[in-house]
Amino acid sequence: MRKIVFVINYFHPDYASTGQLMTELCMHLKEDFEITVIAAQPGYSEETFKEKGKKKIEIEYWNGMKIIRVQLPKVNKRSKLSRMKYIIQYFMLANIALLKEKNVDLIYTISQPPVLGGLIGTIGKLLKSSKHVYNIQDFNPEQAAAVNYTGGTVYKIAKKIDQLNCLYSDHIILVGNDMKQTLENRFGKNHQLSHSVINNWTDENEIVPLSKKNPHVLSFLKKHHLEGKFIIMYSGNLGLYYDLENLIKVSSELRNFSDIHFLYIGEGASKKEMQDYVLKHNLENVTFLPYQPKEFIKYSLNVANVHLVVNQKGIKGVSVPSKIYGVMAAGKPILGVLEKGSEAEFLISTSHSGLVSEPQDYMQFVENIKDIYDMKCEERHEMGMRGRQYLDLYLRKELSLNKYKETLTTIINSQ
């Protein structure tokens, strides 16, 4: 059986979306390949995970797969120094763990941590004479530059390194059709890099449309004093790439709508700034909650009347917010803050499952909220269900997983 080593940072039981996606992918492939995973010790939602071990590298076995865990320092996502310390330690330990593995036929890496995730595969391919598939979930440093997180010499060096990762990989997997333009921008219109587009996914059999009268949904509403509220939900990473620290200010403009309530579920670098704004302005129409257990997400997503799917300006072709698949599966209308022509905007517009405004057009964002709020319940229900119907036709989990299996089988068996 051919051996694939996944170097993917987040893996079960971490709540990070890429961790959940990669866990499901490995589970889908484990009957056809010998799977080894190199990942960080769980820590995305530290309250719920077991106490970390003391060894820098630990090995465990789970569902027939070998899992190599690397021990990393706690990261403060608003501190560049803290992020750098975390990333460098991950990079070094993951390389050591990979180089110790024998008989590796293919190394699979993702674009996390930025740039260095792919570089692990580049180094591994060179030293182990194996193949390398590079899955670009986010183009960096383009993503960091879009929010002015990096620039100048650092940007140029990082871009050169990631160009090398792309050039030296045997195949590149992108998660959105708009990302092909970024690849073209890097290497020219006539580049010959082997690549394909495979959408991320959610489990459409697990996440289904549910009424607010569902016992679990109703219990959640009662627990958090949200009964009778028109809930605008954001569920996912409260990170730097979504302009959330400015979108939160819209809550002030809508505070006179007594039943409109904003619910943010997740963690991330922007959360404290958002919470500080809410406290400073004494806003009672905003609630923050931590990540929900994976098995409860099918209920928490159905709490909302409408979901936010947002990206910062400049992220088009660089990243795709994977939360959109869960929202579509739940059959809920979408309030998009997305650039025209981006993958998520295309999905919403094509499926007619929501309203979209451009990033930083806060007036239109408010108008879209009011328009969806003013709709009849039946209109909102039909809008959301159009997203579910589109997902069932074109974005089912099985379709993406089978594309991965076909692609990896082709690459690993090629001469």
Side-chain angles (χ1 to χ4, degrees), residues 177-200:
N177 285 287
D178 59 336
M179 297 175 81
K180 291 190 287 187
Q181 182 62 53
T182 306
L183 205 60
E184 182 178 309
N185 292 343
R186 279 188 174 189
F187 298 103
K189 191 173 183 178
N190 299 317
H191 72 82
Q192 299 297 314
L193 293 176
S194 174
H195 68 283
S196 56
V197 176
I198 306 178
N199 290 98
N200 286 338

Side-chain angles (χ1 to χ4, degrees), residues 146-158:
V147 295
N148 299 315
Y149 194 78
T150 189
T153 302
V154 173
Y155 173 85
K156 292 176 182 177
I157 293 172

Side-chain angles (χ1 to χ4, degrees), residues 178 309 311 320-321 324 338 341-349 356:
D178 59 336
V309 175
N311 255 343
V320 179
I324 190 171
L338 303 156
S342 64
E343 182 77 5
E345 186 276 331
F346 170 83
L347 294 177
I348 296 167
S349 299
V356 182

Side-chain angles (χ1 to χ4, degrees), residues 42-106:
Y44 217 74
S45 181
E46 58 192 55
E47 300 94 347
T48 59
F49 292 135
K50 66 181 181 180
E51 188 177 341
K52 297 178 181 180
K54 295 181 179 179
K55 294 181 180 179
K56 290 295 184 184
I57 299 177
E58 296 182 322
I59 297 174
E60 62 188 69
Y61 292 87
W62 180 74
N63 276 318
M65 297 178 286
K66 179 181 178 181
I67 316 298
I68 303 171
R69 300 283 187 184
V70 299
Q71 181 70 263
L72 300 174
K74 186 177 179 180
V75 61
N76 174 3
K77 292 194 173 184
R78 295 205 70 86
S79 166
K80 288 186 180 181
L81 184 61
S82 178
R83 278 177 177 255
M84 192 60 65
K85 183 179 178 182
Y86 175 94
I87 288 171
I88 290 173
Q89 187 161 323
Y90 172 79
F91 177 72
M92 293 174 64
L93 292 175
N95 268 306
I96 291 169
L98 175 59
L99 294 176
K100 287 182 177 179
E101 287 298 299
K102 297 178 180 178
N103 303 316
V104 179
D105 296 294
L106 188 146

